[in-house]
Amino acid sequence: MSTEALARLAEERVDHRFKGLPPDADGLTVGELTAQRRNLFTGGFATPVLALSAERLEHNLRLMETYAVRHGLAFAPHGKTSMAPRLFQRQIERGAWGITLAVPHQVRVARAFGFQRVFLANELVDPAALRWISAELDSDPDFRLVCYVDSVRGVALMDAALQGATRPLDVVVELAAGEGARTGVRTEAECAAVADAVAATPALRLVGVAGYEAEVPEANPERVHAWLRRLVSLAVGFDKDGRFEGADEIVVSAGGSAWFDAVADVFADIPEFSLPVLKLLRSGAYVSHDDGRYRKITPFNRVPEEGALEPAFRLWAQVVSRPSPEQAFVNAGKRDAAYDLDLPFAQVVRRDGTERPAAGIEVTALSDQHAWLRTGPEADLEVGDWLGLGLSHPCTSFDKWPLIPVAEADGTVVEYIRTYF
Amino acid sequence: MSTEALARLAEERVDHRFKGLPPDADGLTVGELTAQRRNLFTGGFATPVLALSAERLEHNLRLMETYAVRHGLAFAPHGKTSMAPRLFQRQIERGAWGITLAVPHQVRVARAFGFQRVFLANELVDPAALRWISAELDSDPDFRLVCYVDSVRGVALMDAALQGATRPLDVVVELAAGEGARTGVRTEAECAAVADAVAATPALRLVGVAGYEAEVPEANPERVHAWLRRLVSLAVGFDKDGRFEGADEIVVSAGGSAWFDAVADVFADIPEFSLPVLKLLRSGAYVSHDDGRYRKITPFNRVPEEGALEPAFRLWAQVVSRPSPEQAFVNAGKRDAAYDLDLPFAQVVRRDGTERPAAGIEVTALSDQHAWLRTGPEADLEVGDWLGLGLSHPCTSFDKWPLIPVAEADGTVVEYIRTYF
C-alpha cells in the first residue's frame, strides 16, 4: 500500500460532499478537523450522522487477526463491505494477506491507494476493465491480482481482451455452492473443462479454486462442511492432474461472515499439495459487525470461547416530529440507514447530555429521509432528542456515508473514515 | 444560483471516486471527458454503469414546466431525488421558483452552488444546522429559506438556537395528512397553537401552510382532494385571523409525484388572500421518472391528455455467470440498483453492438454486487452480454451513483451529472 496516498486522505477538505459533519468545519482539512478532537454530541455535528466506535472497531480488527492466525488461515477481508482504504490499511497492518473485492471499480480504489494484493471474487469479462488491470500488472511487478473464472466462454472473453499482456492474469476456478446457488461452476466435470480452457490460454494462469459457502442451499453446518470438503477435493484433484503446474502456490479460498468456523475446520485438514498452499479466508462484515443479521449469524455464536465481535456502528438521528403519543419521526431514512435485511433498532435516547435506553421505541418503517417510530406508554421521547440506532448489514450501512467519524466511548472523534462507492 | 460554481463541476477529475466511467479516462477533467463525446457502449465504460437518457430527461423537465405553468403553480421540485446541482440548475432555468430539500445537509449542497430559494420540507430543530442557516441568511440578503414547524416544542428549540439572528427564519405550519400519517400537526387547534408560538418568537416569521398529500391514509382521489381542501382552509383561517401579518406573500404548498393533479385541482380554487399567494408544488421524482412504482402512480395516468413522463434511467450490467439454462448473474447489485420498491426490470440485451428485448429474463433477487436472473427457454443470454435494466424509485437510484453519464439515443454521452449524497 502507499502510505503517501493514504496520508493524503487527511488533506481532503470538509465540505458539502460530506453529510453529518459540523457545518462550521467547512473548509478545514480532514486532518485539521481530526486534530480538533471534537465531541460527537457537543462538537457541532449535524444529524443524521453515522459514527463508528473506535474501541469496537479496534476490537474487531484484532479479533479476526487472532482468529486467522490461530487457525493457520491467510486473510483477505472482503473490502466491498467498507470500501475504506484506511480500513484496508489497518487490516493489512493486522496481518491480512490482501484485500478481497467484488468488481473492477473497487480494484481501482484499492490501486489508487497502492494495495498490492487483491483477490477479485468474481469472474471478470469486461474488456475495458481487463485491459486496465493488465496494464496495472505490467507496470507494477509487485501487484498481484487473482480473479475467478466460472465458464469456458468467460475464459475466451478474457483471452481476447488480454491479447498483448506481458504478465498472465492469475485465476481460480469458482465452484458453485450447489444447484440454484449463485455464480460458479456447477459440476467437477465442468470445472475441469474450464481449467482446460485456462491451460490453453497463455494470458491466464490457474492458481487455485474458490467459492462462497454462504450460498449453499439450505445451509447448515453439515451441508457447509460437505461443500467445503468438495472444494478441497477439487483442488486435490486439480493438483494431482498437474493443473497448477505454472503456479508458485495453490490458492484455496472460501469464507464469508457466516461460516468461517467451518472454513477453519475443513481447511485445517487440507492435505499436502505439490506446492505451498494459501488457505484464504475472505470475511468482510466483521470490521463493523452489526446489531442485526450478522449478530445472529456470526460463527462466534457457535464458538464463544474464541471471542465475540462487537457492533461498531451507531446512527444518530434527531426527533423532528412527535405528532401523537404513539408516533415519532427522526430525520434519518433510506438515505442513511441499511434497510435491506432489517429495519434499524432504537437503542438509546440522548437529551441534555444524558443517555438512556430507548425503552418503548421501535422503528416501524423508513421513508427516504425519515424513520417512523412507534412509541409505547413507557417511551420518553420529544422533539429535539437524539436517537441512537443500531443497524443490520455492514455493507449497506457503509455505502451511505462517504466520511464517517470514529468516536471513542466518551464521544471524542479521533478519526474520519473515507469510503468510495 | 452560481454559474461559476456550477461551471467548476467540469473541472473535477475523473478518478477512482466515480464508478462505471472508463478506466482510461482517469485524470481527465469531467469537461475534457465530455468533450470527447464517448459512446456508452464502445467508449470504454465499465460495468455496471447507470445512464440517463438525454432526450427523456429534457422531455421530463419540459413537461413539468409546462404542467406547472398551465395550472398556475409555482414549482419547487424536490431536490432530494437527484441531489444534482446541475439538474437543479436546469429546473430553475425551466422556470422553477426554487428547490425543495429534506435535510440541512442538502441545503448545504444547494448553497455551495448558490441556489437562492430553498423550501425545506421538514421541521428543523438541529441547533448546529439552524445557526449555519441563520448565518447564510444574514450574509446573503437574496437567500430565502422556508421550513416547516410542526410542534410548539420545535418552535421553542428553533427560537433558542436562533438567538442573535438578524433576519427571521420563514416557516410554514405543516398539517399532517391524517391520523397515523407522517410528520405534521394533527388538528387545526394544534396548528393554531403552533402558529401562536411562532408569533411569539421574533426569530421566526409565519408565511404559510404546507403538507404532503401522499401520506393521506388509504389515499384515493376523494380523500386526497378532501385533505388538500383542509390545507387550503387552514390557510384561509390563518389569513382571516391575521396570522400572516408580517409576510410578503402566503405560501400554500403540497404535491409529491403521485397526486399533483389533485393539487392542481384544489389549488386552482384557492380564494383571494390578504397577500399574494405562492401555490407551491414540490414533485421531484419526475426528473428521471422510472419503470416501476412511479410509472404506476404518476398522475399523468389519470390525465393522459396532459402528457406522459418517460423513464430516463437505464442501468447497464454485464453477465458474469451463466451456470445453468435457468440462471444467470450480472455484476450489478444493491450497490447499484434501487431495490426498496421493486427489483430491477430486465429490458434489453446487447451483444456485438446489437440490442434486442430481454425476452424470458427476470430479476429475482439482488445480492450486494450481483443480480440474480431467472431465464426461460426463450432467453438468449450469455456471459459477456450487457443487460439493460429499468429501475423503480428515482430517489434510491440517483443516490448510488456520484457521477452519471447522460447519453443520447445513439449512445453518445453528452454530459455527466454529479450527485451529492
Side-chain angles (χ1 to χ4, degrees), chain A residues 52-79:
Chain A
L52 275 163
S53 154
E55 295 86 355
R56 291 175 167 214
L57 191 58
E58 176 62 19
H59 168 86
N60 293 342
L61 288 165
R62 207 169 41 216
L63 180 62
M64 283 306 288
E65 176 189 29
T66 313
Y67 187 89
V69 169
R70 184 186 310 125
H71 292 281
L73 298 168
F75 191 25
H78 211 316

mmCIF file of all heavy atoms in Angstrom, chain A residues 52-79:
data_model
loop_
_atom_site.group_PDB
_atom_site.id
_atom_site.type_symbol
_atom_site.label_atom_id
_atom_site.label_comp_id
_atom_site.label_asym_id
_atom_site.label_seq_id
_atom_site.Cartn_x
_atom_site.Cartn_y
_atom_site.Cartn_z
ATOM 1 N N LEU A 52 -18.715 5.407 13.930
ATOM 2 C CA LEU A 52 -18.094 4.130 14.273
ATOM 3 C C LEU A 52 -17.472 4.257 15.655
ATOM 4 O O LEU A 52 -16.923 5.306 16.003
ATOM 5 C CB LEU A 52 -16.998 3.779 13.263
ATOM 6 C CG LEU A 52 -17.429 3.074 11.990
ATOM 7 C CD1 LEU A 52 -16.333 3.163 10.921
ATOM 8 C CD2 LEU A 52 -17.762 1.601 12.267
ATOM 9 N N SER A 53 -17.540 3.195 16.429
ATOM 10 C CA SER A 53 -16.881 3.167 17.727
ATOM 11 C C SER A 53 -15.409 2.809 17.543
ATOM 12 O O SER A 53 -15.070 1.758 16.987
ATOM 13 C CB SER A 53 -17.548 2.121 18.624
ATOM 14 O OG SER A 53 -16.631 1.648 19.588
ATOM 15 N N ALA A 54 -14.529 3.690 18.023
ATOM 16 C CA ALA A 54 -13.084 3.450 17.890
ATOM 17 C C ALA A 54 -12.681 2.152 18.585
ATOM 18 O O ALA A 54 -11.928 1.344 18.034
ATOM 19 C CB ALA A 54 -12.310 4.632 18.487
ATOM 20 N N GLU A 55 -13.186 1.948 19.786
ATOM 21 C CA GLU A 55 -12.773 0.778 20.561
ATOM 22 C C GLU A 55 -13.283 -0.515 19.920
ATOM 23 O O GLU A 55 -12.570 -1.524 19.866
ATOM 24 C CB GLU A 55 -13.298 0.877 22.003
ATOM 25 C CG GLU A 55 -12.713 2.034 22.812
ATOM 26 C CD GLU A 55 -13.470 3.352 22.620
ATOM 27 O OE1 GLU A 55 -14.403 3.393 21.771
ATOM 28 O OE2 GLU A 55 -13.125 4.342 23.301
ATOM 29 N N ARG A 56 -14.530 -0.503 19.464
ATOM 30 C CA ARG A 56 -15.114 -1.726 18.902
ATOM 31 C C ARG A 56 -14.480 -2.084 17.557
ATOM 32 O O ARG A 56 -14.265 -3.254 17.249
ATOM 33 C CB ARG A 56 -16.619 -1.548 18.775
ATOM 34 C CG ARG A 56 -17.266 -1.498 20.142
ATOM 35 C CD ARG A 56 -18.740 -1.206 20.088
ATOM 36 N NE ARG A 56 -19.312 -1.493 21.401
ATOM 37 C CZ ARG A 56 -20.531 -1.965 21.604
ATOM 38 N NH1 ARG A 56 -21.337 -2.175 20.592
ATOM 39 N NH2 ARG A 56 -20.953 -2.218 22.821
ATOM 40 N N LEU A 57 -14.214 -1.060 16.780
ATOM 41 C CA LEU A 57 -13.513 -1.266 15.506
ATOM 42 C C LEU A 57 -12.172 -1.954 15.770
ATOM 43 O O LEU A 57 -11.829 -2.970 15.138
ATOM 44 C CB LEU A 57 -13.303 0.108 14.874
ATOM 45 C CG LEU A 57 -12.840 0.225 13.440
ATOM 46 C CD1 LEU A 57 -13.803 -0.469 12.498
ATOM 47 C CD2 LEU A 57 -12.740 1.708 13.059
ATOM 48 N N GLU A 58 -11.420 -1.412 16.696
ATOM 49 C CA GLU A 58 -10.118 -1.974 17.039
ATOM 50 C C GLU A 58 -10.266 -3.407 17.559
ATOM 51 O O GLU A 58 -9.503 -4.307 17.182
ATOM 52 C CB GLU A 58 -9.443 -1.068 18.085
ATOM 53 C CG GLU A 58 -8.115 -1.555 18.618
ATOM 54 C CD GLU A 58 -7.036 -1.677 17.548
ATOM 55 O OE1 GLU A 58 -7.184 -1.054 16.474
ATOM 56 O OE2 GLU A 58 -6.063 -2.432 17.787
ATOM 57 N N HIS A 59 -11.250 -3.611 18.391
ATOM 58 C CA HIS A 59 -11.501 -4.963 18.920
ATOM 59 C C HIS A 59 -11.769 -5.957 17.793
ATOM 60 O O HIS A 59 -11.205 -7.064 17.778
ATOM 61 C CB HIS A 59 -12.700 -4.920 19.882
ATOM 62 C CG HIS A 59 -13.220 -6.283 20.250
ATOM 63 N ND1 HIS A 59 -12.703 -7.023 21.286
ATOM 64 C CD2 HIS A 59 -14.188 -7.052 19.677
ATOM 65 C CE1 HIS A 59 -13.335 -8.190 21.353
ATOM 66 N NE2 HIS A 59 -14.241 -8.239 20.384
ATOM 67 N N ASN A 60 -12.614 -5.560 16.851
ATOM 68 C CA ASN A 60 -12.972 -6.476 15.764
ATOM 69 C C ASN A 60 -11.769 -6.769 14.869
ATOM 70 O O ASN A 60 -11.559 -7.911 14.447
ATOM 71 C CB ASN A 60 -14.122 -5.895 14.935
ATOM 72 C CG ASN A 60 -15.416 -5.813 15.729
ATOM 73 O OD1 ASN A 60 -15.577 -6.465 16.761
ATOM 74 N ND2 ASN A 60 -16.351 -5.003 15.256
ATOM 75 N N LEU A 61 -11.005 -5.730 14.570
ATOM 76 C CA LEU A 61 -9.809 -5.923 13.737
ATOM 77 C C LEU A 61 -8.862 -6.910 14.419
ATOM 78 O O LEU A 61 -8.318 -7.823 13.788
ATOM 79 C CB LEU A 61 -9.104 -4.582 13.509
ATOM 80 C CG LEU A 61 -9.823 -3.607 12.561
ATOM 81 C CD1 LEU A 61 -9.259 -2.197 12.696
ATOM 82 C CD2 LEU A 61 -9.707 -4.080 11.105
ATOM 83 N N ARG A 62 -8.681 -6.744 15.706
ATOM 84 C CA ARG A 62 -7.758 -7.593 16.449
ATOM 85 C C ARG A 62 -8.286 -9.022 16.527
ATOM 86 O O ARG A 62 -7.557 -9.987 16.367
ATOM 87 C CB ARG A 62 -7.575 -7.008 17.855
ATOM 88 C CG ARG A 62 -6.252 -7.347 18.511
ATOM 89 C CD ARG A 62 -6.039 -6.513 19.769
ATOM 90 N NE ARG A 62 -7.288 -6.427 20.509
ATOM 91 C CZ ARG A 62 -7.700 -5.350 21.180
ATOM 92 N NH1 ARG A 62 -6.969 -4.257 21.211
ATOM 93 N NH2 ARG A 62 -8.848 -5.363 21.835
ATOM 94 N N LEU A 63 -9.596 -9.139 16.771
ATOM 95 C CA LEU A 63 -10.167 -10.474 16.962
ATOM 96 C C LEU A 63 -10.011 -11.331 15.700
ATOM 97 O O LEU A 63 -9.636 -12.506 15.781
ATOM 98 C CB LEU A 63 -11.650 -10.365 17.334
ATOM 99 C CG LEU A 63 -12.369 -11.699 17.565
ATOM 100 C CD1 LEU A 63 -11.745 -12.464 18.746
ATOM 101 C CD2 LEU A 63 -13.855 -11.484 17.818
ATOM 102 N N MET A 64 -10.287 -10.757 14.534
ATOM 103 C CA MET A 64 -10.184 -11.577 13.325
ATOM 104 C C MET A 64 -8.734 -11.846 12.943
ATOM 105 O O MET A 64 -8.440 -12.883 12.331
ATOM 106 C CB MET A 64 -10.973 -10.963 12.167
ATOM 107 C CG MET A 64 -12.480 -11.190 12.271
ATOM 108 S SD MET A 64 -13.020 -12.936 12.470
ATOM 109 C CE MET A 64 -12.686 -13.589 10.842
ATOM 110 N N GLU A 65 -7.845 -10.927 13.287
ATOM 111 C CA GLU A 65 -6.425 -11.223 13.076
ATOM 112 C C GLU A 65 -6.046 -12.461 13.896
ATOM 113 O O GLU A 65 -5.463 -13.420 13.379
ATOM 114 C CB GLU A 65 -5.564 -10.030 13.513
ATOM 115 C CG GLU A 65 -4.064 -10.323 13.415
ATOM 116 C CD GLU A 65 -3.191 -9.237 14.057
ATOM 117 O OE1 GLU A 65 -3.647 -8.574 15.003
ATOM 118 O OE2 GLU A 65 -2.036 -9.086 13.615
ATOM 119 N N THR A 66 -6.404 -12.427 15.170
ATOM 120 C CA THR A 66 -6.107 -13.545 16.066
ATOM 121 C C THR A 66 -6.735 -14.838 15.555
ATOM 122 O O THR A 66 -6.120 -15.897 15.558
ATOM 123 C CB THR A 66 -6.695 -13.239 17.467
ATOM 124 O OG1 THR A 66 -6.331 -11.906 17.814
ATOM 125 C CG2 THR A 66 -6.193 -14.216 18.504
ATOM 126 N N TYR A 67 -7.989 -14.724 15.104
ATOM 127 C CA TYR A 67 -8.709 -15.901 14.641
ATOM 128 C C TYR A 67 -7.994 -16.549 13.451
ATOM 129 O O TYR A 67 -7.796 -17.766 13.400
ATOM 130 C CB TYR A 67 -10.139 -15.521 14.252
ATOM 131 C CG TYR A 67 -10.988 -16.716 13.920
ATOM 132 C CD1 TYR A 67 -11.712 -17.377 14.910
ATOM 133 C CD2 TYR A 67 -11.056 -17.214 12.618
ATOM 134 C CE1 TYR A 67 -12.476 -18.496 14.618
ATOM 135 C CE2 TYR A 67 -11.813 -18.328 12.313
ATOM 136 C CZ TYR A 67 -12.528 -18.962 13.317
ATOM 137 O OH TYR A 67 -13.270 -20.073 13.019
ATOM 138 N N ALA A 68 -7.615 -15.715 12.489
ATOM 139 C CA ALA A 68 -6.949 -16.242 11.290
ATOM 140 C C ALA A 68 -5.615 -16.884 11.661
ATOM 141 O O ALA A 68 -5.297 -17.996 11.204
ATOM 142 C CB ALA A 68 -6.740 -15.126 10.265
ATOM 143 N N VAL A 69 -4.849 -16.228 12.510
ATOM 144 C CA VAL A 69 -3.553 -16.777 12.933
ATOM 145 C C VAL A 69 -3.753 -18.112 13.644
ATOM 146 O O VAL A 69 -3.091 -19.110 13.336
ATOM 147 C CB VAL A 69 -2.810 -15.765 13.846
ATOM 148 C CG1 VAL A 69 -1.601 -16.435 14.502
ATOM 149 C CG2 VAL A 69 -2.388 -14.531 13.049
ATOM 150 N N ARG A 70 -4.700 -18.149 14.584
ATOM 151 C CA ARG A 70 -4.920 -19.366 15.371
ATOM 152 C C ARG A 70 -5.255 -20.551 14.478
ATOM 153 O O ARG A 70 -4.880 -21.689 14.753
ATOM 154 C CB ARG A 70 -6.047 -19.129 16.386
ATOM 155 C CG ARG A 70 -6.272 -20.316 17.326
ATOM 156 C CD ARG A 70 -7.505 -20.116 18.223
ATOM 157 N NE ARG A 70 -7.472 -18.821 18.871
ATOM 158 C CZ ARG A 70 -8.463 -17.928 18.796
ATOM 159 N NH1 ARG A 70 -9.560 -18.207 18.121
ATOM 160 N NH2 ARG A 70 -8.345 -16.779 19.401
ATOM 161 N N HIS A 71 -5.960 -20.258 13.370
ATOM 162 C CA HIS A 71 -6.410 -21.352 12.517
ATOM 163 C C HIS A 71 -5.535 -21.535 11.277
ATOM 164 O O HIS A 71 -5.904 -22.286 10.372
ATOM 165 C CB HIS A 71 -7.872 -21.140 12.130
ATOM 166 C CG HIS A 71 -8.805 -21.273 13.302
ATOM 167 N ND1 HIS A 71 -9.203 -22.494 13.805
ATOM 168 C CD2 HIS A 71 -9.356 -20.337 14.103
ATOM 169 C CE1 HIS A 71 -9.995 -22.309 14.848
ATOM 170 N NE2 HIS A 71 -10.102 -21.006 15.058
ATOM 171 N N GLY A 72 -4.412 -20.852 11.247
ATOM 172 C CA GLY A 72 -3.493 -21.047 10.121
ATOM 173 C C GLY A 72 -4.060 -20.607 8.791
ATOM 174 O O GLY A 72 -3.747 -21.176 7.744
ATOM 175 N N LEU A 73 -4.916 -19.583 8.818
ATOM 176 C CA LEU A 73 -5.536 -19.092 7.585
ATOM 177 C C LEU A 73 -4.892 -17.782 7.157
ATOM 178 O O LEU A 73 -4.620 -16.919 7.992
ATOM 179 C CB LEU A 73 -7.039 -18.850 7.813
ATOM 180 C CG LEU A 73 -7.858 -20.081 8.192
ATOM 181 C CD1 LEU A 73 -9.250 -19.677 8.673
ATOM 182 C CD2 LEU A 73 -7.967 -21.051 7.010
ATOM 183 N N ALA A 74 -4.651 -17.658 5.859
ATOM 184 C CA ALA A 74 -4.358 -16.326 5.325
ATOM 185 C C ALA A 74 -5.686 -15.587 5.225
ATOM 186 O O ALA A 74 -6.746 -16.202 5.096
ATOM 187 C CB ALA A 74 -3.697 -16.435 3.955
ATOM 188 N N PHE A 75 -5.614 -14.258 5.267
ATOM 189 C CA PHE A 75 -6.851 -13.487 5.387
ATOM 190 C C PHE A 75 -6.857 -12.383 4.323
ATOM 191 O O PHE A 75 -5.909 -11.594 4.230
ATOM 192 C CB PHE A 75 -6.924 -12.892 6.799
ATOM 193 C CG PHE A 75 -8.250 -12.282 7.182
ATOM 194 C CD1 PHE A 75 -9.435 -12.683 6.585
ATOM 195 C CD2 PHE A 75 -8.308 -11.306 8.179
ATOM 196 C CE1 PHE A 75 -10.653 -12.119 6.953
ATOM 197 C CE2 PHE A 75 -9.521 -10.737 8.559
ATOM 198 C CZ PHE A 75 -10.695 -11.142 7.949
ATOM 199 N N ALA A 76 -7.912 -12.378 3.530
ATOM 200 C CA ALA A 76 -8.131 -11.276 2.579
ATOM 201 C C ALA A 76 -9.543 -10.765 2.838
ATOM 202 O O ALA A 76 -10.491 -11.122 2.138
ATOM 203 C CB ALA A 76 -7.964 -11.738 1.134
ATOM 204 N N PRO A 77 -9.701 -9.934 3.866
ATOM 205 C CA PRO A 77 -11.043 -9.461 4.232
ATOM 206 C C PRO A 77 -11.733 -8.828 3.040
ATOM 207 O O PRO A 77 -11.089 -8.135 2.243
ATOM 208 C CB PRO A 77 -10.782 -8.446 5.342
ATOM 209 C CG PRO A 77 -9.324 -8.131 5.304
ATOM 210 C CD PRO A 77 -8.656 -9.319 4.702
ATOM 211 N N HIS A 78 -13.042 -9.066 2.914
ATOM 212 C CA HIS A 78 -13.760 -8.518 1.770
ATOM 213 C C HIS A 78 -13.904 -7.007 1.931
ATOM 214 O O HIS A 78 -14.606 -6.526 2.808
ATOM 215 C CB HIS A 78 -15.124 -9.169 1.593
ATOM 216 C CG HIS A 78 -15.526 -9.216 0.149
ATOM 217 N ND1 HIS A 78 -15.359 -8.141 -0.700
ATOM 218 C CD2 HIS A 78 -16.056 -10.210 -0.615
ATOM 219 C CE1 HIS A 78 -15.776 -8.471 -1.916
ATOM 220 N NE2 HIS A 78 -16.198 -9.715 -1.893
ATOM 221 N N GLY A 79 -13.224 -6.295 1.028
ATOM 222 C CA GLY A 79 -13.208 -4.844 1.106
ATOM 223 C C GLY A 79 -14.474 -4.189 0.598
ATOM 224 O O GLY A 79 -14.713 -3.013 0.868
#
